Amino acid sequence: METPRRLTTTEYAMLGLLASGESSGYDLARAADRSIRYMWAPSRSQIYKALPRLVALGLATSREVEQRGRPDKAVYRITRAGRATLRAWLEDDTEASQAGGTVFLLKLFLAGAAPPEAALRQLEAYRSRLEHRLDAFEGMEREPSDGQTVYDRIALAHGIAQARATLGWVESVRPQLEREARRRRRSATRG
Amino acid sequence: METPRRLTTTEYAMLGLLASGESSGYDLARAADRSIRYMWAPSRSQIYKALPRLVALGLATSREVEQRGRPDKAVYRITRAGRATLRAWLEDDTEASQAGGTVFLLKLFLAGAAPPEAALRQLEAYRSRLEHRLDAFEGMEREPSDGQTVYDRIALAHGIAQARATLGWVESVRPQLEREARRRRRSATRG
DNA sequence: AGTGCCATGTAATTCGTTACATGATTTC
DNA sequence: GAAATCATGTAACGAATTACATGGCACT
């Protein structure tokens, strides 16, 4: 258990996948390729390096499993501390804005491992970042900088179109997330 | 002049900025922050390392400029070979698909340094990648994989919404790019 | 019986970020 | 006159990619 520095997105992604069950590095790579590939695509060797780091931080445990006809493999299991770390990350809505919103999408994808409010908070923060970005783009459109070319303007239109469409998506999914949050709260109290 | 390996995107971006005039590393960093920040945001130290590599490859030259009250600076100028390398990159439409299309946008932004057909070819390749991506997403929507949650479906809808909006943008800008290509061809022959 | 692919990794290299250094210059 | 900022960079570190290694198994 080492010093608690901030994890990389790859490490959080692996924690997130481990949250739904024990797995080997190889299988995590396969699972990542099937599920989160469009949001986060770590290479296999990247995963093999991340997992021991999680163990060193006490966020996962590993055990060796012997196999016939294959090299032994290490399977990893998330710990209590790992789940807490994952949850904290899923609840943290201060992510830096980046193109494509891939980290936001990753958090949304893994939102089942956090309280149902977390996804809604992420959505709000995402909306806010999108609006700032759209404002900046619209400002550039109104007041073109000096050497602006046709190409610049067209590239700018791309950003504006994407931001607007994504803001539309935000509005359309908010009620779905709210419904899901109510459903989860019900099934939590009913149990 | 070393072995001609493939350049990094940062190196191409710096070549692209140098194409519009001699500049120092510091000024390139400022220019990048003002122009291509949303597509490509290299750190200053990244730029300072890229520039000598461009010189070593014969794609740029540098000279020292003394200053009063400031450290000396190195200013860089793109070479013939550098322009050719940049043009080849701007014409190459086999870029891997990635979220946000940032490399495509960078090429579009710098399209003035290549023949006017290049931008149109890039646009077509981008459209094709978007359509493949949209097909994949729609396939996932039709045939949900096993453990699919509400969150997975919502994240998928994000990808679909963005891809559709971006395809709409493609159609809206194609005529603009065609017009610009005609304009540039005219002014090339008229000269 | 050869070719390729599955399942596990390790190693080498490159890329990129963050923090530090330095001295002048403007700002409060 | 202290504090922020400009204008150059360098150094240390961490992350990510690509290539390599190994042995069985599956297909033709």
Side-chain angles (χ1 to χ4, degrees), chain B residues 120-136:
Chain B
L120 276 159
R121 254 225 306 283
Q122 291 299 333
L123 189 74
E124 276 313 295
Y126 186 52
R127 187 186 56 71
S128 162
R129 292 194 296 267
L130 280 170
E131 275 176 357
H132 278 105
R133 173 176 285 243
L134 182 57
D135 280 354

Side-chain angles (χ1 to χ4, degrees), chain A residues 13-62:
Chain A
M14 292 306 110
L15 268 188
L17 294 180
L18 284 176
S20 51
E22 198 182 45
S23 174
S24 72
Y26 191 89
D27 289 337
L28 283 171
R30 287 239 317 284
D33 191 58
R34 266 185 283 105
S35 58
I36 60 176
R37 176 168 38 135
Y38 289 98
M39 313 148 195
W40 204 255
S43 65
R44 255 185 24 267
S45 65
Q46 187 57 25
I47 293 173
Y48 282 126
K49 276 184 293 185
L51 291 170
R53 284 200 301 262
L54 294 180
V55 173
L57 293 165
L59 307 177
T61 57
S62 72

Side-chain angles (χ1 to χ4, degrees), chain B residues 5 8 10 40-41 43 45-46 49 53 69-70:
Chain B
R5 56 177 172 81
T8 66
T10 299
W40 204 256
S43 64
S45 65
Q46 187 56 26
K49 275 185 294 184
R53 285 200 299 261
R70 314 241 149 245

